Amino acid sequence: MKQKICLEMHPKETLPQIQIIVDKSSSIISATQNSVSLGKALNNMASNSSLLLTKFHAGYFRISLSLCSQALLWKTLGHTPDNAHAYRRMLGMLPSTAFILIWSLALLTLVSLSILYILKCCFNFKSVKDEFMNHIGVNYLFAPWISCLLLLQSAPFFTPNTICYQLLWWIFVLPILVLDVKIYGQWLTKGKNFLSTVANPASQLSVIGNLVGARAAALMGCKESAICLFAFGMVHYLVLFVTLYQRLAGSNRLPAMLRPVFFLFFAAPSMASLAWISISGSYDNASKMLFFLSVFLFTSLVCRPKLFKKAMRRFNVAWWAYSFPLTVLALSSTEYAQEVKSSIAHLLMVILSAISVLVTLVLMVITAINTDLSSDSLISKPSADLILTTSDSSTE
């Protein structure tokens, strides 16, 4: 549809008339096409966001768990005690800027993952409910609160005797207690979710949550709360460890892709050793026995690389399950080395700390390389870890 517009000059002027032709149809079509393109772009963005929230689950908090424990390790190594061994003094020369950088990265990662999970709770609550009811997925709901407590213990801005520290401790511990009531309560009652049928290595996260909370409470001087949480964790750890050790017939085995979670076997006694040191105020025989148990379990797993062969065929966020236990074991080794003051103990501390840092760096690089949030990737490559953690079926 075209319209002619004539512009005439003053009659006295001798200039010719000027005609401007306006094509209304083409402008309308162009505007329509632009609006359609904008609508498609918005729909694609909404679809990608929905798919991202669908793929995202609490298992991704393994990343923040590893980074927060790394921050605590760097803070511990950066503090050189009096009459320290030469190896310890060497590690104490690490720049404080590196610790601040790692702590900030851990905080940023934890906040980002928390925002994503909050959005998932708002827009895809059914998936969150399914994860809460799943015997594997529910254990990872402890992970964000454990990460918060680790980040709190390594915070460079305030000490455990401040009101802010105590307030945050209560905020982070209460969800752990609520989850304890849910998980430990169903273990005590008969039904489809009693311990012999739902026990799996990921169940040890519930124990670790209590032990991390106990250590944080002991650091701020609340000994009664620390002993209470320590008792919750250790009693259930003993029962859980025996159940997992026996591998009772009819129990749900862990899928092959999630076998890195077996490293939690030595993370629990390592954290128990650290917690008891803070509670008792000294490195006694109980702490040593827990540390030796964790070293034995670590050696047993490392000597069986075929166990993790299937899990290593393709990158999965479950690989981050390697980092946190190694870091906790390295933390426990620092306390042991400081107590016995022998060269072998300090050499073990250096080796475990180096392995922990190296594994974390490698995982960060591999995760960055394999992260693809494009629409094609979201549609064609569903998260295997999500499928495994929200399915009742498992494969050997």
Side-chain angles (χ1 to χ4, degrees):
M1 177 180 172
K2 299 182 179 179
Q3 182 178 359
K4 293 184 179 180
I5 302 176
C6 299
L7 300 178
E8 296 185 357
M9 305 300 291
H10 195 273
K12 294 182 179 181
E13 299 291 340
T14 59
L15 295 175
Q17 295 182 350
I18 301 175
Q19 291 184 347
I20 300 176
I21 300 176
V22 180
D23 191 347
K24 289 185 176 181
S25 59
S26 61
S27 61
I28 293 174
I29 293 174
S30 177
T32 305
Q33 290 177 345
N34 290 335
S35 61
V36 171
S37 299
L38 180 59
K40 288 182 178 180
L42 294 175
N43 289 334
N44 288 334
M45 291 177 60
S47 178
N48 290 345
S49 300
S50 178
L51 289 171
L52 177 62
L53 292 178
T54 302
K55 285 167 60 72
F56 185 79
H57 53 91
Y60 280 87
F61 281 101
R62 298 184 186 99
I63 302 175
S64 64
L65 202 61
S66 301
L67 294 177
C68 292
S69 60
Q70 275 292 311
L72 183 59
L73 175 63
W74 281 69
K75 180 181 180 180
T76 303
L77 295 177
H79 175 69
T80 305
D82 297 334
N83 301 323
H85 193 274
Y87 290 153
R88 185 63 184 272
R89 291 198 301 271
M90 177 184 66
L91 293 176
M93 296 173 62
L94 295 172
S96 58
T97 307
F99 161 66
I100 298 297
L101 181 61
I102 294 174
W103 191 90
S104 302
L105 177 61
L107 176 62
L108 178 62
T109 303
L110 178 58
V111 171
S112 301
L113 294 176
S114 300
I115 292 175
L116 281 176
Y117 204 79
I118 291 173
L119 291 175
K120 181 175 181 178
C121 292
C122 296
F123 298 106
N124 197 356
F125 184 74
K126 183 180 182 301
S127 178
V128 176
K129 183 179 178 181
D130 292 340
E131 190 172 8
F132 182 77
M133 300 304 295
N134 182 261
H135 68 284
I136 297 178
V138 66
N139 297 290
Y140 291 103
L141 297 178
F142 285 92
W145 309 110
I146 298 174
S147 301
C148 291
L149 287 170
L150 291 172
L151 206 62
L152 179 64
Q153 295 176 49
S154 60
F157 307 112
F158 46 82
T159 57
N161 57 359
T162 59
I163 297 178
C164 182
Y165 184 101
Q166 298 175 5
L167 179 62
L168 290 174
W169 180 85
W170 278 108
I171 294 174
F172 300 151
V173 165
L174 286 177
I176 292 178
L177 295 176
V178 172
L179 290 170
D180 283 346
V181 173
K182 192 267 181 185
I183 293 179
Y184 297 159
Q186 71 184 17
W187 288 358
L188 293 172
T189 58
K190 292 184 177 180
K192 64 178 182 179
N193 288 328
F194 61 94
L195 183 59
S196 61
T197 60
V198 300
N200 60 87
S203 302
Q204 296 175 98
L205 282 172
S206 61
V207 173
I208 294 173
N210 287 277
L211 297 175
V212 174
R215 184 175 189 269
L219 291 177
M220 68 182 188
C222 296
K223 192 172 182 179
E224 298 300 320
S225 299
I227 295 176
C228 178
L229 289 173
F230 186 84
F232 289 166
M234 289 307 297
V235 169
H236 289 93
Y237 172 70
L238 292 175
V239 178
L240 179 61
F241 181 78
V242 173
T243 303
L244 293 173
Y245 202 92
Q246 291 178 332
R247 298 174 67 90
L248 297 176
S251 63
N252 290 303
R253 295 182 178 181
L254 201 69
M257 289 294 293
L258 297 183
R259 285 180 182 172
V261 182
F262 274 99
F263 270 48
L264 290 175
F265 270 108
F266 63 84
S270 297
M271 183 53 67
S273 178
L274 292 171
W276 186 248
I277 293 171
S278 300
I279 293 173
S280 63
S282 62
Y283 199 103
D284 54 15
N285 291 332
S287 301
K288 289 183 180 179
M289 288 189 293
L290 290 168
F291 172 69
F292 291 149
L293 174 61
S294 60
V295 172
F296 168 76
L297 294 174
F298 167 71
T299 306
S300 300
L301 290 172
V302 170
C303 292
R304 290 166 175 80
K306 290 184 178 180
L307 179 65
F308 308 99
K309 185 177 180 180
K310 290 184 178 180
M312 301 302 293
R313 290 177 180 175
R314 181 180 176 183
F315 173 74
N316 191 277
V317 71
W319 288 14
W320 280 92
Y322 293 123
S323 177
F324 170 70
L326 287 171
T327 306
V328 178
L329 181 60
L331 280 166
S332 184
S333 68
T334 60
E335 298 291 344
Y336 176 73
Q338 180 61 27
E339 175 65 20
V340 300
K341 295 181 173 60
S342 68
S343 299
I344 296 178
H346 280 83
L347 181 61
L348 178 64
M349 174 195 69
V350 172
I351 293 174
L352 291 175
S353 299
I355 293 175
S356 170
V357 174
L358 180 61
V359 169
T360 303
L361 291 175
V362 170
L363 286 173
M364 290 173 62
V365 173
I366 294 177
T367 303
I369 294 174
N370 288 273
T371 300
D372 186 1
L373 299 180
S374 64
S375 58
D376 293 338
S377 174
L378 291 173
I379 294 173
S380 61
K381 296 180 180 179
S383 174
D385 188 42
L386 175 63
I387 296 172
L388 292 171
T389 54
T390 57
S391 174
D392 289 333
S393 61
S394 60
T395 59
E396 183 61 28

